[in-house]
Amino acid sequence: MKLNPSKSVYQLGCLLLIILWATTAASKLGNLNQFKTELAKQVFSERFTAWLLIAVPASEMIAATLLAFNKTRLYGLIASLLLITAFTLYIAMVLAGYFNKVPCSCGGVLKWLGWKAHLVFNLVFTAITLTTLIIHLKREVRDKE
């Protein structure tokens, strides 16, 4: 049996992203009142906060679901890249002092990380997402040849 490191990295990347999005969404939805309270402490308007209350966990669950199936995996990887980039940019803005109040409304174990550790975590997951997406795209090109 021939070992294919690219395939293993690809499968591991998809699995890690599914775990990331499913657990963070489940954490937010499992304690929706706490998530709502934390969002209300953000610098965003009340209307935008109400939208985020639904959009963030829904987006995370959609990304996890799309990643779970071969036919929709590309869309899941693109959604993952958009989500992790948005969250990473927000954290970078927090660390740059752009916002005057910075409560974390993250789900799961991420809410226990400091902002710098959270940025490193997100950068690692950005790299995982990009690597997995590149492998996926290379496989698509190779399969069409």
Side-chain angles (χ1 to χ4, degrees):
M1 184 169 137
K2 187 177 173 185
L3 182 64
N4 185 345
S6 175
K7 185 177 180 180
S8 299
V9 169
Y10 176 76
Q11 290 173 335
L12 180 61
C14 290
L15 178 62
L16 289 172
L17 289 167
I18 290 168
I19 291 168
L20 173 69
W21 300 130
T23 58
T24 56
S27 174
K28 290 173 181 115
L29 294 171
N31 200 342
L32 200 56
N33 285 333
Q34 180 181 350
F35 181 51
K36 183 178 181 179
T37 300
E38 290 167 350
L39 278 177
K41 295 176 187 174
Q42 299 288 337
V43 296
F44 310 121
S45 70
E46 194 173 314
R47 181 177 243 165
F48 189 61
T49 298
W51 180 81
L52 287 174
L53 181 66
I54 295 165
V56 171
S59 299
E60 292 168 340
M61 288 303 298
I62 289 168
T65 303
L66 291 171
L67 287 163
F69 301 99
N70 288 332
K71 289 187 179 218
T72 58
R73 191 158 293 143
L74 175 60
Y75 301 110
L77 289 167
I78 293 168
S80 294
L81 186 58
L82 292 172
L83 284 168
I84 199 70
T85 300
F87 296 148
T88 303
L89 288 173
Y90 174 74
I91 293 167
M93 291 170 72
V94 166
L95 288 170
Y98 187 78
F99 301 114
N100 59 358
K101 52 183 179 175
V102 290
C104 183
S105 57
C106 306
V109 297
L110 298 179
K111 63 183 165 191
W112 304 112
L113 293 179
W115 286 109
K116 288 180 184 176
H118 200 148
L119 180 63
V120 170
F121 179 91
N122 278 36
L123 290 172
V124 168
F125 265 89
T126 301
I128 290 169
T129 305
L130 281 171
T131 301
T132 308
L133 179 59
I134 290 167
I135 292 169
H136 183 93
L137 293 172
K138 284 183 178 180
R139 290 170 83 184
E140 279 191 355
V141 168
R142 184 189 69 225
D143 291 346
K144 287 182 180 179
E145 293 178 344

